[in-house]
Amino acid sequence: MELNLTRPICFFDLETTGTNVAKDRIVEISVLKVYPNGNKESKTWLVNPEMEIPEEVVAIHGISNEKVANEPTFKELSRSIYAMIKDCDLGGFNSDRFDIPLLAEEMLRAELDFDMKSMVSIDVQTIFHKMEKRTLVAAYKFYCDKDLTDAHSAEADTLATYEVLLSQLDKYPELENNVKKLAEFSTHRQFADFAGFLGYDEDGAEVFAFGKHKGRKVLDVLEKEPGYFGWILNADFPLYTKKVLTQVKLSQLNNKLG
């Protein structure tokens, strides 16, 4: 089965210096772009993260500090990567909770206004876990009857993720071959930001999803405790969370001026 597409979708995978979305950096990114007519193009970049890659992380993906020392930084690559994924939907394995948030941070650090409002994303891991509850290596064996011998290589993981999704569509007739529907099925609880600090209430208003104001409307908190906005902007929160919060704050000011 082939994906039923109305516009291109980019499957991608990151290898990084660690798992902290706000602090860690990309060391490798691979993108597989699939077009509605079935054509594909792929590109893999090694990235100098401008920070030390811990030994325990090198042991996982095999990308050493020496290997990326002379590679371009993400900022130098950012426009090429952005050009490839712009106006596309996204797909990945655990991408909603890790790869997309970290990619967004890197894009914002590179001063590119990355925004998911015009995109949907399919998280193949979520579909897998809802159906079978295993890892990518097991998913590849289960759905494709292949051994993922080069796991933790961004290129191998990206291609395997794409193949797993196609096999999932073949195996589960209840899955609709539609990117928007697959994105909805593979999405966890909806958040206003990627990292899960800002959620929505039943009316669609932004609410805090953490801390002393958990469950309260962002606009109400900013109205009654304006210093909380400044605290978040100066604290160690992801850039995308700060961006969304700033947008909410600006909408509040615009409503007052209106």
Side-chain angles (χ1 to χ4, degrees):
M1 184 180 290
E2 290 297 323
L3 274 174
N4 181 17
L5 301 175
T6 56
R7 68 175 186 169
I9 182 169
C10 287
F11 292 86
F12 77 103
D13 185 70
L14 308 177
E15 301 301 337
T16 66
T17 59
T19 58
N20 186 312
V21 168
K23 294 181 178 179
D24 281 304
R25 301 291 189 268
I26 295 170
V27 298
E28 186 180 36
I29 176 170
S30 186
V31 180
L32 172 66
K33 189 171 185 176
V34 184
Y35 292 88
N37 64 3
N39 289 346
K40 304 176 185 71
E41 65 173 303
S42 62
K43 180 71 177 176
T44 299
W45 296 269
L46 281 171
V47 185
N48 182 339
E50 302 181 276
M51 65 181 291
E52 193 78 8
I53 309 172
E55 289 183 11
E56 61 271 21
V57 178
V58 175
I60 294 172
H61 54 49
I63 301 173
S64 65
N65 291 287
E66 294 75 21
K67 188 173 182 178
V68 295
N70 296 317
E71 297 294 337
T73 65
F74 187 87
K75 186 168 186 177
E76 291 170 330
L77 293 169
S78 59
R79 296 194 179 277
S80 296
I81 296 170
Y82 183 74
M84 190 169 185
I85 67 174
K86 184 182 179 184
D87 300 324
C88 300
D89 295 317
L90 298 178
F93 197 86
N94 194 32
S95 49
D96 282 354
R97 289 191 280 186
F98 181 70
D99 298 83
I100 291 175
L102 202 149
L103 179 63
E105 290 298 293
E106 291 277 38
M107 288 289 187
L108 290 172
R109 275 192 289 268
E111 300 177 346
L112 283 173
D113 191 21
F114 182 79
D115 203 308
M116 285 289 293
K117 288 181 180 177
S118 62
M119 302 174 169
V120 296
S121 65
I122 299 173
D123 193 328
V124 174
Q125 186 194 59
T126 302
I127 295 175
F128 183 37
H129 285 180
K130 283 186 175 182
M131 297 297 192
E132 305 295 344
K133 304 188 188 306
R134 293 198 180 106
T135 63
L136 177 58
V137 174
Y140 198 51
K141 183 66 176 176
F142 182 87
Y143 289 109
C144 306
D145 197 25
K146 298 178 183 178
D147 294 317
L148 186 53
T149 55
D150 204 11
H152 297 298
S153 155
E155 186 173 4
D157 288 357
T158 297
L159 182 58
T161 298
Y162 171 62
E163 289 183 29
V164 166
L165 178 58
L166 297 184
S167 295
Q168 285 174 331
L169 288 169
D170 284 329
K171 185 175 179 64
Y172 306 115
E174 64 268 34
L175 286 179
E176 188 172 342
N177 191 351
N178 174 284
V179 168
K180 186 176 180 181
K181 295 294 185 183
L182 289 168
E184 290 172 357
F185 186 81
S186 65
T187 298
H188 291 276
R189 178 186 168 193
Q190 291 287 338
F191 289 100
D193 64 336
F194 292 129
F197 290 107
L198 304 173
Y200 295 105
D201 64 13
E202 61 274 9
D203 298 320
E206 293 87 353
V207 297
F208 286 105
F210 73 100
K212 65 180 183 178
H213 294 306
K214 185 175 182 179
R216 293 183 59 192
K217 282 185 169 66
V218 171
L219 287 175
D220 290 346
V221 173
L222 297 184
E223 179 77 29
K224 295 173 184 175
E225 193 178 331
Y228 198 61
F229 175 74
W231 172 74
I232 290 179
L233 290 190
N234 291 311
D236 194 20
F237 286 92
L239 293 175
Y240 199 85
T241 300
K242 296 176 182 179
K243 175 185 174 179
V244 173
L245 190 65
T246 301
Q247 289 173 337
V248 176
K249 177 73 171 177
L250 288 174
S251 71
Q252 180 187 52
L253 291 174
N254 289 335
N255 287 337
K256 286 183 178 179
L257 291 174

